[in-house]
Amino acid sequence: MYRYSDFDAAFVAERNRQFRQQVERRIDGSLTEDEFKPLRLMNGLYLQLHAYMLRVAVPYGTLSAAQMRQLAYIAERWDKGYGHFTTRQNIQYNWPELRDVPDILDALAEVQMHAIQTSGNTIRNVTADHFAGAAADEIADPRPVAELIRQWSTDHPEFQSMPRKFKVAVTGSPHDRAVIAAHDIGLRIVERDGARGYEVLVGGGLGRTPMIGKVITDFLPQADLLPYLEAIVSVWNLIGRRDNKYKARIKITVHEHGIDEIRRLVDARFAELRPAFSGVDQQMLAAIEAQFATPPLRDASTDGYDLAYAKDPVFRSWADTNLTAHRDPDHAIVQISLKAHGATPGDASAEQMRVMADLAERHGHGELRVSHEQNIVLPHVHKSDLPLIHATLQQHKLATANIGLISDIIACPGMDYCALATARSIPIAQEIATRFDELKLEHEIGDLKIKISGCINACGHHHVGHIGILGLDRAGVENYQITLGGDHTETAALGARTGPGFPAEGIVGAVETIVNTYLEIRESREETFIETFRRTGMAPFKAALYPEKEAARDAA
Amino acid sequence: MPRKFTPKVVTANALLEGDVVYLAEDDSWIRDLKRAEVITDEAVAQIRLIDASSRQSEVVGVYLADVVETEHGPEPTHFREDFRRTGPSNHFHGKQAAEV
């Protein structure tokens, strides 16, 4: 894992010192809210419905055991004993008081963490594949380059006041687990003729106007990355629309100018910038890469795992659902579900955080990941340790065997917390998960991603959910629109609306109708929901959801 | 025709705690909607809003929220205001916990 240099530590300490003074000046009346708001946002502090919210960056979703323990300590010392892991691989605290925030930031700095650029019109925390460094299909670990981008973008003087926020995601695998097509810039590490480079997507994004990112170059040599990124961001920084916040993101710029024109402008800017990058960035990348070396993997028997797998059906179900192939066949990638049926997606109590930190330390080389799907990952676990890990998780409500299933729902905080929300998300997720647990159907249903947002900003990724749910305010009542057919992977697609929305009391029933339709019309158990949808299209689902309307149309 | 003025309360978030507050008749900021001053006159509402907005060292984000008057005091007309005066639905935190 990356460790702060003296420069990093001094930079964070100085920012924390500044922010402490800014808070003091706000409290003593020397700063107005208009003056203070951009300063607090630069440090991740929002004011939400019921309280302040502090968004802490988890760079590319990677945490050490010590960092996870400190997050638990912060949750207990200054919050209400829990934290919320988000779809941008960060953690949010929902209840800090203004006076305490400087102390929280100092506590974060003790474990080399901060909340800088988790808000505002800046380049935000770079996200990455949560299986980075462990996945069997990986070409290269995306985290070193994500760290390089973080260092380049943090406090970058040209990019502190852009038309809007800017998000970058990186994957090192052909299978996209980082939703790169839904980011302002998506990077995929590729190899060509033995040389490493990047496929670069630009102009993806969800929100009010969802767009799938377009390929601006299919092979960018590794050494050209930073000047090329700088060229993209600086082109957009100049021509991106500042007249209308809703048209300011680069997806609109790409849409309005066309990808060919954007490519031309970026290439021209790149030609100017390239000579300024002397190669220091590549020396830095090499030094960062050394810090992400694979931990020494243990060579031991997996008999204990095989025996538990054969004898214990509960363990077997968990292993089948929550484990992913590691590139070392004696190891596994463990996903710890933060989606116990009826619980809030992404919430973890301080106690649970400590349990996960302890497990990582004892059995996982001290490493954890936060997935954009709001679960926690132990990336390098020897299979012989899995029965013990499972038993420990069971004692702390962390052993739910539902990764990738219908109850593994992404949900934004929605109107239970968020000042922007138009409806609640969390109770809908809780009800759907509880309902399908009662039906004992979710393993039968198989791979199905439900993603819920409580407003059109789409933090819950609803556009790319197999079933997407969007909560809206319709004449003072919560109403939920459904989209079907979204895809968050390398075959990224935006879902299509089924038709009119459903009231809160009707949304679980509507999801059940969709799922029952799928179970009736799938060709076999092997045909997943998304495959069935692609084969049949919307028609059978629409007919089931709106029987009266469809019948009337048939009669006409 | 201008829309008929509907009853309002002045609401905001407290600067230090960040929680929801309402303006009472005696100009104090209170945590309980039931004791908030209900304003039925548009001109009065605007003056109360301007005065409250100037109290920057106490509160953030002052605005007028619709209420209906009932025998139990003012009640929110919109679900957002109902959540603000209660707390989140997934954890027993916020105002609902303070009442116990």
Side-chain angles (χ1 to χ4, degrees), chain B:
Chain B
M1 208 175 82
R3 193 181 291 182
K4 187 172 176 291
F5 185 76
T6 50
K8 304 271 192 293
V9 294
V10 176
T11 183
N13 288 71
L15 173 67
L16 296 180
E17 298 83 358
D19 63 336
V20 175
V21 292
Y22 304 96
L23 188 64
E25 260 178 75
D26 64 0
D27 284 343
S28 63
W29 291 107
I30 53 165
R31 259 72 187 175
D32 182 2
L33 174 63
K34 289 195 187 92
R35 297 193 295 121
E37 173 192 16
V38 178
I39 308 165
T40 54
D41 180 277
E42 186 163 12
V44 174
Q46 288 307 322
I47 289 166
R48 296 293 281 162
L49 177 65
I50 289 165
D51 288 347
S53 300
S54 70
R55 294 165 65 179
Q56 288 233 351
S57 59
E58 300 162 29
V59 293
V60 180
V62 184
Y63 65 95
L64 296 168
D66 276 311
V67 290
V68 284
E69 291 180 276
T70 73
E71 58 190 64
H72 311 293
E75 290 281 328
T77 60
H78 192 277
F79 58 87
R80 187 176 193 272
E81 291 304 321
D82 197 18
F83 299 148
R84 285 182 81 238
R85 65 124 178 219
T86 310
S89 48
N90 64 325
H91 289 293
F92 192 68
H93 291 153
K95 295 222 173 317
Q96 58 198 340
E99 283 166 15
V100 180

Side-chain angles (χ1 to χ4, degrees), chain A residues 519-537:
Chain A
L519 291 174
E520 279 165 30
I521 65 175
R522 69 179 176 185
E523 286 186 329
S524 70
R525 275 197 67 156
E526 281 65 49
E527 190 181 57
T528 62
F529 177 86
I530 189 70
E531 288 164 353
T532 300
F533 180 84
R534 285 186 188 138
R535 176 173 58 79
T536 67

Side-chain angles (χ1 to χ4, degrees), chain A residues 344-356:
Chain A
T344 303
D347 275 13
S349 69
E351 177 217 319
Q352 289 176 322
M353 289 186 221
R354 286 199 185 95
V355 167
M356 294 187 284

Side-chain angles (χ1 to χ4, degrees), chain A residues 53-123:
Chain A
M53 179 273 279
L54 183 67
R55 179 181 294 153
V56 177
V58 180
Y60 31 90
T62 293
L63 282 173
S64 69
Q67 289 172 328
M68 184 66 111
R69 247 180 233 121
Q70 188 78 337
L71 295 178
Y73 169 74
I74 290 169
E76 264 171 2
R77 171 80 174 77
W78 290 290
D79 207 86
K80 292 191 188 291
Y82 74 101
H84 178 73
F85 291 99
T86 77
T87 54
R88 300 216 68 257
Q89 302 181 303
N90 292 323
I91 182 170
Q92 296 180 172
Y93 292 105
N94 286 321
W95 303 96
E97 294 193 7
L98 181 58
R99 269 188 212 287
D100 294 333
V101 175
D103 291 340
I104 299 176
L105 294 180
D106 284 347
L108 288 168
E110 286 173 16
V111 292
Q112 309 195 339
M113 295 181 78
H114 62 66
I116 296 166
Q117 289 183 207
T118 60
S119 177
N121 295 333
T122 57
I123 299 177

Side-chain angles (χ1 to χ4, degrees), chain A residues 168-454:
Chain A
V168 182
V170 197
T171 178
S173 297
H175 182 55
D176 180 9
R177 287 171 289 261
V179 210
I180 64 164
H183 285 76
D184 297 286
I185 289 178
L187 299 173
R188 189 197 314 274
I189 298 175
V190 290
E191 274 177 338
R192 182 183 282 182
D193 305 327
R196 193 161 290 168
Y198 307 93
E199 180 187 38
V200 183
L201 279 68
V202 68
L206 301 176
R208 182 178 296 256
T209 318
M211 302 268 187
I212 298 294
K214 296 168 183 70
V215 177
I216 185 163
T217 173
D218 60 0
F219 189 84
L220 180 74
Q222 180 172 294
D224 290 344
L225 181 69
L226 286 191
Y228 197 78
L229 292 185
E230 193 150 306
I232 295 174
V233 183
S234 93
V235 163
W236 168 68
N237 201 16
L238 277 179
I239 66 171
R241 288 183 57 175
R242 288 168 190 263
D243 62 314
N244 183 338
K245 160 178 184 181
Y246 303 119
K247 295 188 174 174
R249 296 287 291 270
I250 196 172
K251 61 188 174 186
I252 304 293
T253 316
V254 172
H255 184 72
E256 288 184 345
H257 293 261
I259 185 70
D260 294 332
E261 173 65 3
I262 295 295
R263 187 180 297 117
R264 190 186 68 75
L265 292 168
V266 167
D267 285 347
R269 181 74 180 134
F270 174 74
E272 291 169 358
L273 287 170
R274 184 65 185 86
F277 285 77
S278 59
V280 174
D281 57 317
Q282 292 305 301
Q283 289 168 19
M284 290 176 74
L285 178 61
I288 294 167
E289 271 171 352
Q291 300 195 51
F292 284 97
T294 307
L297 298 177
R298 185 152 45 103
D299 191 9
S301 161
T302 60
D303 290 352
Y305 167 77
D306 298 331
L307 189 68
Y309 189 86
K311 292 213 158 166
D312 179 354
V314 177
F315 175 73
R316 184 162 61 242
S317 167
W318 176 79
D320 285 343
T321 312
N322 291 31
L323 301 182
T324 304
H326 192 279
R327 58 191 157 87
D328 177 84
D330 291 347
H331 283 71
I333 302 170
V334 177
Q335 290 205 65
I336 301 172
S337 170
L338 297 184
K339 317 284 180 70
H341 300 109
T344 303
D347 275 13
S349 69
E351 177 217 319
Q352 289 176 322
M353 289 186 221
R354 286 199 185 95
V355 167
M356 294 187 284
D358 290 349
L359 287 175
E361 200 155 69
R362 275 189 215 129
H363 309 290
H365 304 275
E367 247 192 74
L368 303 109
R369 307 285 170 73
V370 183
S371 77
H372 80 269
E373 286 159 332
Q374 301 179 284
N375 294 308
I376 299 297
V377 178
L378 302 176
H380 310 286
V381 177
H382 192 271
K383 284 185 176 172
S384 61
D385 293 333
L386 290 169
L388 183 60
I389 288 176
H390 179 247
T392 307
L393 293 174
Q394 279 182 311
Q395 291 164 16
H396 301 278
K397 296 186 179 157
L398 289 168
T400 311
N402 65 344
I403 296 295
L405 302 181
I406 193 168
S407 62
D408 182 11
I409 298 170
I410 287 183
C412 72
M415 204 184 271
D416 283 305
Y417 298 90
C418 179
L420 301 173
T422 43
R424 288 175 297 175
S425 307
I426 292 167
I428 305 301
Q430 291 173 310
E431 284 168 35
I432 292 171
T434 304
R435 177 66 183 146
F436 282 90
D437 187 42
E438 285 164 2
L439 294 171
K440 296 295 168 211
L441 261 183
E442 65 177 337
H443 288 270
E444 173 70 23
I445 297 162
D447 184 48
L448 207 175
K449 301 281 198 298
I450 297 186
K451 302 180 195 285
I452 309 176
S453 304

